[in-house]
Amino acid sequence: MAESAEHTFLSETALNIMEESANSQLFGCRESGRKKFDFSCDLTKNWTRAVSGQTLWRHDRDGIDKDLRTLLTDDEAAAAVYVARDAVATRGRVEEIIRDYRRSPLRESLSKLRIFWIPADFDADDEKARTVVRAGLRNDVYRDLLMRVALGGITSQDVRNFAISGRLGLPVWLLVQLGRDEYLDNYTRASKRYGIGIPSLKEEILRLELIGILSREESKYYGLIQVTEKGRAMLDICARLHNYLSGKREEGEEFLYICKLLGIDFTTLHPDGQVNFSFYEDNKDGIPFGHSADNTALMLSCLYYASQNGPLEWNDRHFALPDR
């Protein structure tokens, strides 16, 4: 049976959204061989995350079972995406299959499944309907796929916990140094190298460990402190924001959209969003800091004070497209 216009639109749109999201320059995206899937791609950073996807519009019960089995048995995929028509019968069948999988050896593969529901009355020939559905699908893909799979699971709460340190600017300064050095194994040497007192260094490292930005590998002979995947994402976001606030570059829609999902929206401070470090210097007495502040003000303060501590040596982007 030929694909419906809705099926074709949804498959192409899901892939197009992921490809456009790479304009954020926080990760790369490349379409991979579709093989048995309706759409598939690789999301890359220092690692590769394969995404496989199926689209459901007119399938019967057996078609839904086949789709989900195809997705969940794909060992190469870190994320399995099902873009599905939101009908009562469909939801019932999907829930029934998921219950069966929870009792099977494949139950662990359910953690990679993401289902994006599309209104059942969607008509691909209606331009307004296409616009509405694309916007909703874009929000779902960014929030539940890109943020969790390509950006280490970073959330707006992570951003808040990161930036709210009482030592203004220290989280950014420390993350930059650790990102450059790759690991820390001696507090005395790190204290001298980073210009941070040992007590402050230890306390800040512990705080960043607790929120998942850093991790510690302990052994009998040494302990290594490293930046996690979530921390790498935070580091890249800080680098892009620092350039933006320093007036060194404009930022595209995709990066600013990700920032908004993380609670960083400069239009909350100025109507056109044209905020920089000079703006902060002129208005910082009126911008709250602390638990009453939002993520925008917290990150602006944190990046500003980090920049006052000395030159920030940002690494190159932490991803690269693999060779074909």
Side-chain angles (χ1 to χ4, degrees):
M1 184 173 64
E3 291 183 355
S4 66
E6 289 75 22
H7 185 285
T8 300
F9 172 84
L10 292 170
S11 297
E12 291 178 352
T13 299
L15 181 60
N16 179 252
I17 288 170
M18 285 184 275
E19 289 176 332
E20 285 183 357
S21 71
N23 293 332
S24 68
Q25 297 187 23
L26 295 174
F27 47 81
C29 179
R30 182 185 65 191
E31 183 177 4
S32 55
R34 294 195 183 188
K35 302 177 184 177
K36 55 190 175 182
F37 302 106
D38 290 326
F39 56 92
S40 61
C41 65
D42 292 332
L43 299 173
T44 64
K45 212 168 170 70
N46 269 346
W47 57 93
T48 297
R49 296 288 188 261
V51 177
S52 301
Q54 296 287 83
T55 301
L56 164 69
W57 200 252
R58 293 178 178 170
H59 285 342
D60 54 19
R61 288 171 58 87
D62 292 338
I64 296 171
D65 190 17
K66 180 182 177 182
D67 278 351
L68 290 176
R69 180 171 293 277
T70 300
L71 287 169
L72 295 174
T73 55
D74 179 23
D75 294 333
E76 296 181 0
V81 176
Y82 203 25
V83 180
R85 186 180 185 185
D86 193 1
V88 172
T90 302
R91 279 188 178 261
R93 181 55 180 160
V94 168
E95 290 174 3
E96 180 183 335
I97 294 169
I98 288 176
R99 283 197 300 271
D100 290 342
Y101 269 93
R102 288 194 181 115
R103 298 190 292 267
S104 78
L106 291 173
R107 58 184 176 274
E108 291 184 2
S109 65
L110 287 172
S111 63
K112 68 183 181 182
L113 180 64
R114 275 117 174 114
I115 303 176
F116 301 144
W117 296 103
I118 305 299
D121 60 350
F122 169 55
D123 179 1
D125 293 327
D126 185 327
E127 183 177 354
K128 184 177 180 181
R130 290 198 304 272
T131 300
V132 171
V133 165
R134 190 186 193 285
L137 185 57
R138 183 193 190 207
N139 186 68
D140 289 341
V141 167
Y142 272 72
R143 281 187 180 278
D144 200 34
L145 179 63
L146 301 177
M147 306 284 277
R148 295 188 184 185
V149 175
L151 295 179
I154 193 169
T155 67
S156 60
Q157 188 60 51
D158 292 323
V159 171
R160 182 173 186 81
N161 290 339
F162 172 78
I164 206 166
S165 170
R167 302 177 178 90
L168 292 177
L170 185 55
V172 171
W173 178 262
L174 180 56
L175 190 58
V176 171
Q177 312 312 317
L178 284 170
R180 178 196 61 206
D181 291 348
E182 297 188 356
Y183 64 87
L184 182 155
D185 62 354
N186 183 285
Y187 283 113
T188 302
R189 287 198 298 268
S191 174
K192 293 178 180 178
R193 180 169 170 78
Y194 302 163
I196 305 170
I198 291 178
S200 295
L201 180 62
K202 286 184 175 181
E203 289 179 16
E204 194 64 24
I205 283 176
L206 177 59
R207 198 181 69 83
L208 295 181
E209 278 187 79
L210 292 174
I211 62 177
I213 298 295
L214 301 178
S215 64
R216 185 186 303 262
E217 179 184 334
E218 296 284 2
S219 74
K220 182 178 180 181
Y221 302 105
Y222 63 87
L224 292 181
I225 296 166
Q226 297 174 296
V227 181
T228 63
E229 291 184 5
K230 184 186 293 183
R232 293 286 177 187
M234 187 75 249
L235 183 55
D236 284 342
I237 290 167
C238 285
R240 299 294 303 278
L241 285 173
H242 184 269
N243 285 337
Y244 176 75
L245 293 167
S246 300
K248 295 180 180 178
R249 61 173 295 159
E250 295 289 332
E251 288 299 346
E253 176 190 356
E254 291 79 15
F255 175 73
L256 295 177
Y257 186 77
I258 287 174
C259 285
K260 287 182 180 180
L261 294 178
L262 294 173
I264 306 167
D265 181 2
F266 293 110
T267 61
T268 62
L269 299 179
H270 194 279
D272 62 9
Q274 297 302 306
V275 174
N276 53 33
F277 286 141
S278 294
F279 172 90
Y280 182 73
E281 289 172 344
D282 294 339
N283 297 274
K284 60 184 176 183
D285 290 339
I287 298 176
F289 184 86
H291 291 282
S292 62
D294 63 14
N295 286 9
T296 308
L298 289 170
M299 284 301 297
L300 178 56
S301 298
C302 198
L303 286 161
Y304 171 79
Y305 284 103
S307 69
Q308 302 304 295
N309 201 37
L312 292 166
E313 300 177 8
W314 303 102
N315 283 353
D316 293 335
R317 294 176 301 178
H318 294 99
F319 72 87
L321 286 173
D323 294 334
R324 289 185 179 276

